[in-house]
């Protein structure tokens, strides 16, 4: 039995989030321009999305472009936006074939109008697809997201749409986030050997399992995703309870 068959036999996480790190450094180590690494990174995205569909994953979130990434050299930002626009057009037929449903989270008004027009068209085109839901975090930052949620909550209270703040729950606040209606990630994977969240899904990852890969994103293969899932399947998720409590609940 291969790794793919092993993980499918045990049961999959519902939602995996990935910080796709190391494109630029991968290229620089090879003496190439950073943008070449981003081009190769798109190929890895295709492999991981395809692998996710093959195993029946329900949700896959990719940290595609952070709010902080706007601070990179303008030439690199422009090249990234161009790559994104080209990839949307080029990959739409394949995403439709795989029945991938695309969603976007983030401060999308920051995106160039042409890029967002193409992305919005992709979202609409795939809206009825029933395969893996691919969530692209674009111009995304978790602190921005939480601040925006707080502003919306305050406005609802001011306008009278909310009258009792004591009745608010964690689920209530989660409904104001850009990920409303999406289950929290069970597993977060970060490539390139870095071990930090980088302002990604801070609220949603309260009890997410982390898995760090010492490989740059362009070097990631399908089996790397499968290995991360197998590692996840061997962990005991306690959510604040004792291991004994968890085992007893599994028996009942």
């Amino acid at each position: 039995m291969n790794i793919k068959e092993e993980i499918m036999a045990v049961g999959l996480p519902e939602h995996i989030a990935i910080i796709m790190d190391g494109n630029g450094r991968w290229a620089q180590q090879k003496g190439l321009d950073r943008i070449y690494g981003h081009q190769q990174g798109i190929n890895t995205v295709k492999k991981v999305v395809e692998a996710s569909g093959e195993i029946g994953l329900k949700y896959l979130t990719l940290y595609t472009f952070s709010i902080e990434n706007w601070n990179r050299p303008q030439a690199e930002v422009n090249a990234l936006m161009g790559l994104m626009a080209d990839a949307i057009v080029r990959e739409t037929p394949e995403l439709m074939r795989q029945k991938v449903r695309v969603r976007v989270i983030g401060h999308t008004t920051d995106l160039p109008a042409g890029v967002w027009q193409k992305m919005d068209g992709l979202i609409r085109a795939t809206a009825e697809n029933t395969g893996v839901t691919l969530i692209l975090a674009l111009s995304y930052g978790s602190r921005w997201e939480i601040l925006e949620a707080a502003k919306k909550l305050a406005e609802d209270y001011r306008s009278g749409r909310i009258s009792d703040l004591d009745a608010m729950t964690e689920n209530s606040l989660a409904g104001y986030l850009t990920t409303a209606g999406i289950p929290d990630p069970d597993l977060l994977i970060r490539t390139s050997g870095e071990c930090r969240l980088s302002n990604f899904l801070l609220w949603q990852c309260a009890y997410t399992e982390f898995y760090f890969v010492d490989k740059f994103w362009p070097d990631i293969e399908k089996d790397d995703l499968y290995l991360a899932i197998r590692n996840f399947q061997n962990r005991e998720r306690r959510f604040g309870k004792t291991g004994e409590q968890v085992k007893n609940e599994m028996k009942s």
Side-chain angles (χ1 to χ4, degrees), residues 9-246:
V10 175
L12 298 169
E14 184 177 23
H15 182 181
I16 295 177
I18 303 179
I19 300 175
M20 307 179 293
D21 196 18
N23 289 334
R25 281 170 287 158
W26 178 87
Q28 288 175 322
Q29 282 191 0
K30 298 177 182 298
L32 302 168
D33 190 89
R34 287 175 57 86
I35 199 61
Y36 182 75
H38 295 300
Q39 291 172 332
Q40 294 303 306
I42 292 173
N43 294 329
T44 303
V45 169
K46 291 165 59 176
K47 287 186 286 188
V48 169
V49 171
E50 183 177 60
S52 299
E54 289 172 352
I55 63 177
L57 187 68
K58 292 184 179 180
Y59 296 91
L60 174 67
T61 298
L62 301 179
Y63 203 6
T64 309
F65 191 88
S66 74
I67 286 179
E68 290 80 11
N69 286 155
W70 292 113
N71 296 320
R72 290 189 174 187
Q74 192 60 50
E76 182 172 345
V77 171
N78 291 342
L80 283 168
M81 292 297 115
L83 285 174
M84 192 182 306
D86 292 343
I88 292 167
V89 174
R90 185 176 64 251
E91 300 303 328
T92 294
E94 182 61 19
L95 292 170
M96 293 299 294
R97 186 190 71 79
Q98 295 180 34
K99 302 186 185 303
V100 175
R101 180 189 179 200
V102 177
R103 293 183 59 173
V104 171
I105 58 173
H107 195 211
T108 55
T109 55
D110 284 344
L111 297 172
V115 173
W116 176 245
Q117 184 178 30
K118 290 181 173 63
M119 183 62 71
D120 187 52
L122 177 61
I123 293 168
R124 294 174 185 273
T126 63
E128 301 302 319
N129 286 349
T130 57
V132 60
T133 296
L134 173 62
I135 303 153
L136 301 176
L138 286 172
S139 191
Y140 174 87
S142 194
R143 288 182 173 181
W144 161 83
E145 176 186 38
I146 294 169
L147 177 59
E148 289 300 305
K151 289 178 180 178
K152 292 174 185 175
L153 173 60
E155 175 58 28
D156 281 353
Y157 182 70
R158 185 192 66 80
S159 65
R161 287 188 289 268
I162 293 175
S163 58
D164 184 6
L165 288 179
D166 289 334
M168 287 288 296
T169 65
E170 290 183 6
N171 287 336
S172 301
L173 182 57
Y176 286 90
L177 299 174
T178 61
T179 54
I182 300 170
D184 291 341
D186 301 293
L187 172 64
L188 181 138
I189 302 168
R190 180 165 187 154
T191 61
S192 87
E194 302 288 357
C195 301
R196 56 179 176 271
L197 277 175
S198 296
N199 199 18
F200 183 50
L201 300 178
L202 302 179
W203 174 280
Q204 298 86 344
C205 285
Y207 272 100
T208 297
E209 297 292 324
F210 293 174
Y211 182 86
F212 301 105
V213 185
D214 194 20
K215 294 172 68 174
F216 292 132
W217 179 248
D219 289 327
I220 294 295
E221 300 291 342
K222 289 183 179 182
D223 274 356
D224 292 302
L225 176 66
Y226 301 150
L227 286 169
I229 295 173
R230 186 169 70 179
N231 180 280
F232 168 84
Q233 291 171 332
N234 289 328
R235 300 186 189 185
E236 181 182 71
R237 304 186 75 196
R238 295 186 294 276
F239 299 97
K241 299 179 181 179
T242 67
E244 185 177 1
Q245 283 177 300
V246 172

